[in-house]
Amino acid sequence: MPVEKSVEKSVEKSVPAKRTAAKKTAARKTADGSPKPPAAKAKKTAAAKTKQSAPAKQSAPAKQSAPAKQSAATKQSAPAKQSAATKQSAPAKQSAATKQSAPAKKTSGGARAESHAAMVRRARKINRELAEVYPYAHPELDFENPFQLLVATVLSAQTTDLRVNQTTPALFAKYPTPEDLAAAVPEELEETIRPTGFFRAKARSLLGLSAALRDNFGGEVPGSLDDLVTLPGVGRKTAFVVLGNAFGVPGITVDTHFGRLVRRWKWTDQEDPVKVEAAVAEIFPKSDWTMLSHRVIFHGRRICHARKPACGACPIAPLCPAYGEGETDPEKAKKLLKYEKGGMPGQRLKPPPDYPGTPAPPLAGR
């Protein structure tokens, strides 16, 4: 079949609107008796037919019945258009893919990561809620003066405040002042404080700090952090307990309960008590530090336990990112509550007047 007729048929299929003009042109060119094209040209013509019919957006040239040179031009222009289309569409697809992939501020679980500002707002709301739950929060060590509070706090390491409160009445009856305690016989002192555990190490600390108070501070407990931490057995936690509750100096007490809860609430992921203290101090104003410590420790002892938190009875459950780690059934959770929240005695033998629970009983046999 002559080249002109092949082109004629292709044009008839792709451009119906110019069918009559194409037929007339083909008829005139057939009349001159042109011979059949070589095989190679026939293949090119077939390829041209395919490329002209496939893309929907390729417009037919004004004169597609022209010689083979125009077909070649068509071949060159078609890929160029496809390439341009590819370049234009590719960025759009990549952009869409980027948007569909995980957003920048999402955690591995799919929840949107909390901003620092949002965490601070949540932390302060937890503090306000705890203030309503525990308006009677207080230091849970029995004491009547700074010296008694200092001694009781040293004894509270690795034991409960309840056991310390059951032990100190006999201790303070024997050794009411730093001078008396500094002069105590070590073996007798050890036997007196034995119920608190680690009694030998604690006896050495009590003898050392009492001697330091007698010799360096005129028998009085100093009211500054720098002075308190120079005493044997006194660290930052003990110092802040004394400063906050005996002198009214704000401080954050990072005990095991406090550190555990602030990590559970995502206020910080620090493990070191000093770093925990610094992180929490940035969240709250200084005036809140002492009472915040009491409220968090109260909550950790009564509801938000280490092994099995009473999530179903927790008043701040909607604000807690760790909700569900413990018992969520309200009735079962109530059975996990301790001290006054569970209808049981508290830790102090002499609690404050506004304490709603029952005083703790004395140590049996004493």
Side-chain angles (χ1 to χ4, degrees):
M1 180 184 295
V3 176
E4 290 79 3
K5 288 187 177 181
S6 299
V7 175
E8 176 187 334
K9 288 185 178 181
S10 175
V11 173
E12 286 177 356
K13 291 181 179 180
S14 59
V15 191
K18 296 184 179 181
R19 186 178 302 166
T20 304
K23 283 183 179 181
K24 288 181 181 180
T25 303
R28 285 198 301 269
K29 293 199 175 186
T30 305
D32 64 2
S34 300
K36 289 185 178 181
K41 288 187 177 181
K43 289 182 179 178
K44 289 184 179 181
T45 304
K49 286 170 63 179
T50 304
K51 290 189 174 287
Q52 288 174 357
S53 60
K57 292 184 179 179
Q58 291 180 359
S59 60
K63 292 184 180 180
Q64 291 185 351
S65 58
K69 288 185 178 179
Q70 288 185 354
S71 298
T74 304
K75 288 183 183 179
Q76 292 175 357
S77 62
K81 290 184 179 179
Q82 289 178 352
S83 176
T86 304
K87 288 181 180 178
Q88 290 175 359
S89 61
K93 289 182 179 179
Q94 288 177 356
S95 177
T98 304
K99 290 180 180 179
Q100 289 174 1
S101 60
K105 291 187 177 181
K106 283 197 176 183
T107 61
S108 57
R112 186 172 292 277
E114 185 179 43
S115 68
H116 179 74
M119 181 275 291
V120 171
R121 289 193 296 269
R122 181 172 57 82
R124 292 182 177 182
K125 189 171 183 180
I126 286 176
N127 183 39
R128 292 193 297 271
E129 294 287 337
L130 293 180
E132 295 182 7
V133 176
Y134 308 107
Y136 50 87
H138 59 271
E140 296 190 89
L141 292 169
D142 286 328
F143 69 97
E144 295 178 357
N145 55 55
F147 174 64
Q148 290 187 358
L149 178 58
L150 176 61
V151 170
T153 306
V154 170
L155 291 176
S156 68
Q158 304 298 319
T159 191
T160 64
D161 287 355
L162 172 60
R163 183 52 56 95
V164 173
N165 292 335
Q166 291 173 330
T167 303
T168 51
L171 176 67
F172 295 144
K174 286 184 180 181
Y175 315 107
T177 67
E179 291 82 1
D180 295 328
L181 189 54
V185 177
E187 291 76 15
E188 293 181 2
L189 177 58
E190 290 173 3
E191 187 60 29
T192 302
I193 64 174
R194 180 185 288 271
T196 65
F198 301 95
F199 54 90
R200 291 188 178 89
K202 290 178 180 179
R204 288 194 296 271
S205 294
L206 293 182
L207 291 170
L209 70 85
S210 297
L213 292 176
R214 179 195 62 196
D215 300 338
N216 302 329
F217 298 100
E220 299 291 333
V221 176
S224 73
L225 177 64
D226 292 340
D227 289 338
L228 282 169
V229 295
T230 65
L231 302 174
V234 178
R236 291 178 69 87
K237 183 194 85 170
T238 298
F240 280 129
V241 170
V242 174
L243 289 172
N245 297 286
F247 295 100
V249 178
I252 296 174
T253 304
V254 184
D255 70 349
T256 55
H257 299 288
F258 190 94
R260 173 171 53 81
L261 264 62
V262 299
R263 284 187 290 272
R264 184 173 279 175
W265 293 335
K266 308 298 182 185
W267 294 1
T268 181
D269 58 0
Q270 297 292 338
E271 296 283 345
D272 180 78
V274 176
K275 293 181 179 179
V276 171
E277 175 196 325
V280 176
E282 291 180 354
I283 299 173
F284 297 91
K286 195 172 183 178
S287 57
D288 287 351
W289 289 356
T290 299
M291 288 308 300
L292 170 72
S293 301
H294 291 324
R295 293 164 190 154
V296 173
I297 293 171
F298 255 59
H299 192 64
R301 286 173 172 169
R302 287 152 177 77
I303 297 177
C304 196
H305 312 134
R307 295 184 180 178
K308 199 170 184 181
C311 295
C314 180
I316 61 167
L319 301 171
C320 181
Y323 175 78
E325 289 186 6
E327 180 58 63
T328 57
D329 180 81
E331 294 304 318
K332 293 180 180 178
K334 285 181 182 179
K335 297 178 181 179
L336 300 175
L337 301 180
K338 295 182 179 180
Y339 303 111
E340 76 279 0
K341 290 297 180 181
M344 296 175 283
Q347 298 199 79
R348 294 189 67 165
L349 278 64
K350 298 178 181 179
D354 60 345
Y355 179 65
T358 305
L363 189 65
R366 290 192 176 241

